[in-house]
Amino acid sequence: MILKHVIESQQFTVPMLVELFNMADGMERIVDRGGTGDYSNRIMASLFYEHSTRTRFSFESAMLRLGGKILATENANQFSSLMQGETLEDSVRVVANYSDVIVIRHNEVGGAARAAEVSSVPVINAGDGKGGQHPTQALLDLYTIHREIKTIDGVKIAMVGNLAEGRTVRSLSYLLGKFERVKLYFIAPKTLRMKQDITDYLQHHNVWYTEEEYLGKIVNEVDVVYMTRLEPAERIGIEPGHFFIDESIMKHLPHKSIVMHPLPRANEISATVDRDPRAAYFRQTRNGILVRMALLVSVLDN
Amino acid sequence: MILKHVIESQQFTVPMLVELFNMADGMERIVDRGGTGDYSNRIMASLFYEHSTRTRFSFESAMLRLGGKILATENANQFSSLMQGETLEDSVRVVANYSDVIVIRHNEVGGAARAAEVSSVPVINAGDGKGGQHPTQALLDLYTIHREIKTIDGVKIAMVGNLAEGRTVRSLSYLLGKFERVKLYFIAPKTLRMKQDITDYLQHHNVWYTEEEYLGKIVNEVDVVYMTRLEPAERIGIEPGHFFIDESIMKHLPHKSIVMHPLPRANEISATVDRDPRAAYFRQTRNGILVRMALLVSVLDN
Amino acid sequence: MILKHVIESQQFTVPMLVELFNMADGMERIVDRGGTGDYSNRIMASLFYEHSTRTRFSFESAMLRLGGKILATENANQFSSLMQGETLEDSVRVVANYSDVIVIRHNEVGGAARAAEVSSVPVINAGDGKGGQHPTQALLDLYTIHREIKTIDGVKIAMVGNLAEGRTVRSLSYLLGKFERVKLYFIAPKTLRMKQDITDYLQHHNVWYTEEEYLGKIVNEVDVVYMTRLEPAERIGIEPGHFFIDESIMKHLPHKSIVMHPLPRANEISATVDRDPRAAYFRQTRNGILVRMALLVSVLDN
């Protein structure tokens, strides 16, 4: 697969997703071989206008696993500080002369698209703005389902927690809507329900979904429980146990099902769950490396 | 060319500059080949006491393009914080044991020279203090003229903006004064004219120069327009258009001439100029990599 | 030698130390060869919850000298900020999926041991907490004695300065206590004497030690003078000259003896001593690279 830039999840069709996931599967062999000479002379620049050590490390690990090299800054706002006043566009044009691919984390919605417009090298969006995109997170979530459940068509998934503001569950719902016979169970406090733009989209594409207030009620029916972070402040007035998962819930989860979480977690998941083989959230982290390797290859081979 | 350290532009004679630029021309082949094994076991330490992501990235990209490796800190003041009280000299002696070349950005004039005095490995000055040296910037500016205009002897260059405080235009004037039949046009607000130490130096070496207040008057005569940054505060009382460049000025600039800028720019250059092939300021950035590669090779081969 | 993790100096027996130091001796050949292909596909993550550029650079240089690769952050508290509330354990589990070995600097005593408990890759302690361990510093100190004096058994060493709070002298005393016929001279201000836990340990293991207040008195008897940092505030009421070293002291130090210091120094050592070949404190820095290379190999080969 050849990609020019990776800016938003909407740019991926189902055939592209299938191809991407096949590439990601193959990346494990490259990791085992310690990279490939094809990328040993390529430089990835991490241009992070916001701190996100986790995402930056994941991309940098992916590039190193390919055999490539890294330029990194956690302080890209240096480039465009008020004092200096440089535009994002000028900074990107400069960094494009220093590197072969730019991974950008920007604080404004649309920052990555603006970067792609002026860059002479590929741009990958590592998150732009609170309400913006974080496409590689959505792709690694979907890839984890593909890898763990062996199919995305027909998957039954419960999404639990703050669905109103959760970027990951919103993007994942959108992507899952492209597949066949998917069933979505939204489990959220009344004030944090999945927003109407997503439910409208699902209805329009005839995707089955339901809204519940208690995970325990449907946990025995699902392939995936996707937990999200609930800040302490958001838990006020919420009955304990409803949006949290522990052994009492796990014992009703089918044997081949999994628990996912985008991390970092607060205490939505009891530590006792960590040892359960169905706890997939740290494997999800590792899958992120494979998906990002596949995306880097797709843009570098362009 | 073999260099022990790179501390100030004054250390370069014309024959050395010619040789350096020939080396820089050759670096493109090394970039295309993805580095050379000769430097794959060499470590460059970026020791930055001030943030300058742009300069740091440029040096690090140069070292990676050679095939080498990097140790980086944007927080070298850690080494010498008041609390710890370590001298610059001690920090450099330590880092010299960790690396094969030190690129230093220091906040005091003379910091790089002090580093060179105690270092057991070569030191390259990446800028020291407000009134200090930034020799690699001056060298990449001169290299850009060499590369774009094909000659430095006989070049006619307009320098525009804050010439009083502009480190780049001061160093470039100094270096150009070593070549033959050069003509310098200084275009500055009355309060920001080129200072007397430089004009005295030019007179003493019989270098032709003139001072103007309006770029439009001489733009049709020059090979290079070198724009510099004018902060909003510095523009008070300055008639618009005089120290800015846009299409109306560009249409009088000869076909083979170029526009340069050390970047970051404020709004001295209209965005419409960016698409003009004579806009050389982003190519200038790329030339910085080639010159820094040549300098790294010169000190590493020592 | 195969190690699972490197958490505290107590885990090393004398035979292990001997083997480690032999490995460290051999690392110079690997540095000269520019690394070894065996580690070219291995990633070391520097997970620093506290700034310590010096220690981070030393580990990163060691990994690069082996031929390996680096993921670095100086801001690991990002992972576990109060706002995000992630546990150290979760952060380590994530980073273990991005790397092959984690070098951790944590702000709490026991942080490295907690990391090792959950990590799927080896963990090396680069210092945890004020009263905690910094085992690689202790090992490089001991290695410097081995390398410079050619023997540790029978060594006579003066430790000078703030012995009460000096982590390095405490650890070194502990490690030296494992060898034969060692003699320790503690030279400290009355308020900063070596604490009883260490002197009890030495008595219990029949290690010879004495306490003095003036270095000059015994400097002609020792193989090693190990100076430590005395903050200006700690010098109040202390007679000058007692805990400082200059030429007047050096002229009584035997020809084959050495002066060590963990660095950074304040002004315990006169600058004139730097040129004396017995001043070993910058060589000590270089020895740190060799010891850390040996430790990295020991855990990566696991």
Side-chain angles (χ1 to χ4, degrees):
Chain A
M1 182 165 54
I2 297 297
L3 297 171
K4 196 164 171 199
H5 302 287
V6 178
I7 304 302
E8 52 178 25
S9 13
Q10 292 90 316
Q11 76 185 79
F12 291 89
T13 62
V14 169
M16 286 168 78
L17 291 167
V18 169
E19 192 181 345
L20 180 71
F21 296 163
N22 285 338
M23 284 177 71
D25 288 342
M27 289 300 149
E28 285 206 310
R29 285 192 306 279
I30 291 181
V31 171
D32 291 344
R33 278 208 311 268
T36 148
D38 298 353
Y39 305 102
S40 65
N41 59 348
R42 309 303 283 277
I43 299 175
M44 181 188 97
S46 303
L47 196 59
F48 274 55
Y49 286 80
E50 291 183 332
H51 278 281
S52 177
T53 312
R54 181 188 306 271
T55 302
R56 183 172 66 79
F57 263 33
S58 177
F59 271 107
E60 292 181 3
S61 180
M63 187 63 179
L64 294 179
R65 292 295 191 203
L66 283 173
K69 291 166 180 171
I70 288 168
L71 285 183
T73 184
E74 301 183 289
N75 293 288
N77 43 12
Q78 268 296 313
F79 272 108
S80 66
S81 68
L82 281 178
M83 221 184 66
Q84 302 250 25
E86 187 173 57
T87 61
L88 168 63
E89 282 80 0
D90 271 15
S91 299
V92 167
R93 283 184 187 109
V94 168
V95 176
N97 275 313
Y98 297 166
S99 60
D100 301 304
V101 53
I102 296 173
V103 173
I104 190 168
R105 171 82 159 216
H106 201 255
N107 48 310
E108 289 169 26
V109 175
R114 283 168 54 203
E117 226 162 277
V118 299
S119 177
S120 57
V121 301
V123 169
I124 300 181
N125 186 357
D128 55 353
K130 278 265 171 211
Q133 288 264 344
H134 190 5
T136 61
Q137 176 70 45
L139 293 171
L140 82 86
D141 285 345
L142 198 64
Y143 176 62
T144 298
I145 297 172
H146 154 89
R147 196 176 165 98
E148 300 264 341
I149 309 297
K150 310 296 178 209
T151 174
I152 300 176
D153 290 326
V155 78
K156 286 170 282 181
I157 180 167
M159 299 186 184
V160 184
N162 181 347
L163 305 186
E165 291 161 353
R167 178 157 66 175
T168 53
V169 281
R170 290 172 49 81
S171 297
L172 186 58
S173 299
Y174 172 86
L175 283 176
L176 284 168
K178 300 186 172 199
F179 288 81
E180 305 292 324
R181 290 166 289 108
V182 165
K183 288 189 171 186
L184 306 177
Y185 302 73
F186 296 135
I187 324 281
K190 278 203 187 70
T191 54
L192 298 171
R193 290 167 58 189
M194 182 59 80
K195 285 194 174 155
Q196 204 186 332
D197 61 331
I198 296 290
T199 53
D200 280 356
Y201 165 86
L202 295 172
Q203 282 172 21
H204 185 255
H205 289 81
N206 291 312
V207 181
W208 189 97
Y209 76 90
T210 184
E211 297 191 79
E212 300 286 347
E213 275 190 39
Y214 182 51
L215 173 61
K217 191 179 154 196
I218 52 87
V219 68
N220 63 332
E221 299 175 27
V222 297
D223 303 301
V224 179
V225 178
Y226 194 108
M227 301 297 295
T228 66
R229 190 177 175 86
L230 258 192
E231 299 296 338
E234 292 160 348
R235 290 181 217 137
I236 290 165
I238 294 173
E239 203 176 322
H242 272 219
F243 311 104
F244 305 86
I245 195 164
D246 62 9
E247 284 164 29
S248 74
I249 299 284
M250 288 300 281
K251 79 178 170 211
H252 299 292
L253 183 71
H255 187 62
K256 295 193 170 177
S257 298
I258 58 169
V259 179
M260 294 173 65
H261 193 296
L263 302 178
R265 59 177 160 175
N267 51 6
E268 306 83 28
I269 303 175
S270 154
T272 59
V273 176
D274 294 355
R275 286 181 292 272
D276 192 304
R278 294 168 297 175
Y281 29 93
F282 293 113
R283 295 196 295 274
Q284 200 174 340
T285 290
R286 183 173 162 73
N287 293 339
I289 304 283
L290 302 175
V291 166
R292 285 169 177 136
M293 287 175 76
L295 290 169
L296 283 167
V297 163
S298 297
V299 299
L300 286 170
D301 285 357
N302 191 348
Chain B
M1 183 165 55
I2 297 297
L3 297 170
K4 196 164 172 199
H5 302 288
V6 178
I7 304 302
E8 51 179 24
S9 12
Q10 291 91 313
Q11 76 185 81
F12 291 89
T13 62
V14 170
M16 286 168 78
L17 291 167
V18 169
E19 192 181 344
L20 180 71
F21 296 162
N22 286 338
M23 284 177 71
D25 288 342
M27 289 300 150
E28 285 205 312
R29 286 192 305 278
I30 291 181
V31 171
D32 291 344
R33 278 208 310 267
T36 148
D38 297 353
Y39 305 102
S40 66
N41 59 348
R42 310 303 283 278
I43 299 175
M44 180 189 98
S46 303
L47 196 59
F48 274 55
Y49 286 80
E50 291 182 331
H51 278 281
S52 176
T53 311
R54 182 189 306 271
T55 302
R56 183 172 66 80
F57 263 33
S58 177
F59 271 107
E60 293 181 2
S61 180
M63 188 63 178
L64 293 179
R65 292 296 190 202
L66 282 172
K69 290 165 181 171
I70 287 167
L71 284 182
T73 183
E74 301 184 291
N75 294 289
N77 43 11
Q78 269 294 312
F79 272 108
S80 66
S81 69
L82 282 178
M83 222 184 67
Q84 302 249 26
E86 187 172 54
T87 61
L88 168 64
E89 282 79 0
D90 271 15
S91 299
V92 166
R93 284 183 186 108
V94 168
V95 176
N97 276 314
Y98 296 167
S99 60
D100 301 303
V101 54
I102 296 174
V103 173
I104 191 168
R105 171 85 160 213
H106 201 255
N107 47 310
E108 290 170 27
V109 175
R114 283 167 55 201
E117 226 163 277
V118 298
S119 176
S120 58
V121 301
V123 169
I124 300 181
N125 186 356
D128 55 354
K130 278 264 171 210
Q133 287 265 346
H134 191 3
T136 60
Q137 176 71 44
L139 294 171
L140 81 86
D141 285 345
L142 199 64
Y143 176 62
T144 297
I145 297 172
H146 154 89
R147 197 176 166 97
E148 299 263 342
I149 309 296
K150 310 297 178 208
T151 175
I152 300 177
D153 289 328
V155 77
K156 285 170 283 182
I157 179 169
M159 299 187 184
V160 184
N162 182 347
L163 305 186
E165 292 161 353
R167 178 157 66 174
T168 53
V169 281
R170 289 173 49 81
S171 298
L172 186 57
S173 298
Y174 173 86
L175 283 176
L176 284 168
K178 301 186 172 199
F179 288 82
E180 305 292 324
R181 290 167 289 109
V182 165
K183 288 190 172 185
L184 306 177
Y185 303 72
F186 297 136
I187 324 280
K190 278 203 186 69
T191 53
L192 298 171
R193 290 168 57 189
M194 182 59 81
K195 285 193 176 158
Q196 205 187 331
D197 60 331
I198 297 290
T199 54
D200 280 355
Y201 164 85
L202 295 173
Q203 283 172 19
H204 185 256
H205 289 80
N206 290 313
V207 181
W208 188 97
Y209 76 89
T210 184
E211 296 191 79
E212 301 284 347
E213 276 192 38
Y214 182 51
L215 173 62
K217 192 178 153 195
I218 53 87
V219 67
N220 61 332
E221 299 175 26
V222 297
D223 301 303
V224 179
V225 177
Y226 193 107
M227 302 297 296
T228 65
R229 191 178 174 85
L230 259 192
E231 299 297 336
E234 292 160 349
R235 289 181 220 136
I236 290 165
I238 294 174
E239 204 177 321
H242 272 218
F243 311 105
F244 304 88
I245 196 165
D246 63 7
E247 284 165 30
S248 74
I249 300 284
M250 289 298 282
K251 78 178 170 209
H252 299 294
L253 183 70
H255 187 64
K256 294 193 172 177
S257 298
I258 58 169
V259 179
M260 295 174 64
H261 192 298
L263 302 178
R265 59 177 160 175
N267 51 5
E268 306 83 27
I269 303 176
S270 155
T272 59
V273 176
D274 294 356
R275 285 180 293 273
D276 192 305
R278 294 168 296 176
Y281 29 93
F282 293 113
R283 294 196 295 275
Q284 199 175 340
T285 291
R286 183 171 162 75
N287 292 339
I289 305 283
L290 303 175
V291 166
R292 285 168 177 138
M293 288 174 75
L295 291 168
L296 284 166
V297 163
S298 297
V299 298
L300 287 170
D301 284 357
N302 192 347
Chain C
M1 182 164 56
I2 296 296
L3 297 170
K4 197 163 172 200
H5 303 286
V6 178
I7 304 302
E8 51 177 28
S9 15
Q10 292 90 316
Q11 77 185 79
F12 291 89
T13 62
V14 169
M16 286 169 78
L17 290 168
V18 168
E19 192 181 344
L20 180 71
F21 296 163
N22 286 338
M23 284 178 72
D25 288 342
M27 288 300 149
E28 285 205 311
R29 284 193 305 278
I30 291 180
V31 171
D32 291 343
R33 277 208 312 267
T36 147
D38 297 354
Y39 305 102
S40 65
N41 59 347
R42 310 302 283 278
I43 298 175
M44 180 188 98
S46 303
L47 196 59
F48 274 54
Y49 286 80
E50 290 183 332
H51 278 282
S52 177
T53 311
R54 180 187 308 271
T55 302
R56 184 172 65 80
F57 263 33
S58 176
F59 272 107
E60 292 180 4
S61 181
M63 187 63 178
L64 294 179
R65 291 295 190 203
L66 283 173
K69 290 164 181 171
I70 287 167
L71 284 182
T73 184
E74 301 185 289
N75 293 288
N77 43 11
Q78 268 294 312
F79 272 109
S80 67
S81 69
L82 282 178
M83 220 184 66
Q84 302 251 25
E86 186 172 58
T87 61
L88 168 64
E89 282 80 359
D90 271 15
S91 299
V92 166
R93 283 182 187 110
V94 168
V95 176
N97 276 313
Y98 297 166
S99 60
D100 302 303
V101 54
I102 295 174
V103 173
I104 191 168
R105 171 83 160 216
H106 200 255
N107 48 310
E108 289 170 27
V109 175
R114 283 168 56 203
E117 224 162 279
V118 298
S119 176
S120 58
V121 300
V123 169
I124 300 180
N125 186 357
D128 56 353
K130 279 263 171 211
Q133 287 263 345
H134 191 5
T136 61
Q137 176 71 45
L139 295 170
L140 82 86
D141 285 344
L142 199 63
Y143 176 61
T144 297
I145 297 171
H146 154 89
R147 196 176 166 98
E148 299 263 343
I149 308 297
K150 311 295 178 210
T151 174
I152 300 176
D153 289 328
V155 79
K156 287 170 281 182
I157 179 168
M159 299 185 185
V160 184
N162 182 346
L163 305 185
E165 291 161 353
R167 178 157 66 175
T168 53
V169 281
R170 289 173 50 81
S171 296
L172 186 57
S173 299
Y174 173 85
L175 283 177
L176 284 167
K178 300 187 171 197
F179 288 81
E180 304 293 323
R181 292 166 287 109
V182 165
K183 288 190 171 186
L184 306 177
Y185 302 72
F186 297 135
I187 324 280
K190 279 203 185 71
T191 53
L192 298 171
R193 290 167 57 189
M194 182 59 82
K195 286 194 175 156
Q196 203 185 333
D197 60 333
I198 296 290
T199 54
D200 280 355
Y201 165 87
L202 295 172
Q203 284 172 21
H204 185 256
H205 289 79
N206 291 313
V207 181
W208 188 97
Y209 75 90
T210 184
E211 295 190 83
E212 301 286 346
E213 276 190 39
Y214 181 52
L215 173 61
K217 191 178 156 196
I218 53 88
V219 67
N220 62 333
E221 300 176 25
V222 296
D223 302 302
V224 178
V225 177
Y226 193 107
M227 301 297 296
T228 65
R229 189 178 176 85
L230 257 192
E231 299 297 336
E234 292 160 349
R235 289 181 219 138
I236 291 166
I238 293 173
E239 205 177 322
H242 272 219
F243 311 105
F244 304 87
I245 196 165
D246 62 9
E247 285 165 29
S248 74
I249 300 285
M250 289 300 282
K251 76 178 173 211
H252 300 293
L253 183 71
H255 187 64
K256 293 194 171 176
S257 297
I258 58 169
V259 180
M260 294 174 64
H261 192 297
L263 301 180
R265 58 177 160 175
N267 51 5
E268 305 84 28
I269 303 176
S270 155
T272 59
V273 176
D274 294 355
R275 285 180 293 271
D276 191 304
R278 294 168 296 175
Y281 29 93
F282 294 113
R283 295 197 294 274
Q284 199 175 341
T285 292
R286 183 173 161 74
N287 293 339
I289 304 283
L290 302 175
V291 167
R292 286 169 177 136
M293 287 174 75
L295 290 169
L296 283 168
V297 164
S298 297
V299 298
L300 286 170
D301 285 355
N302 191 347

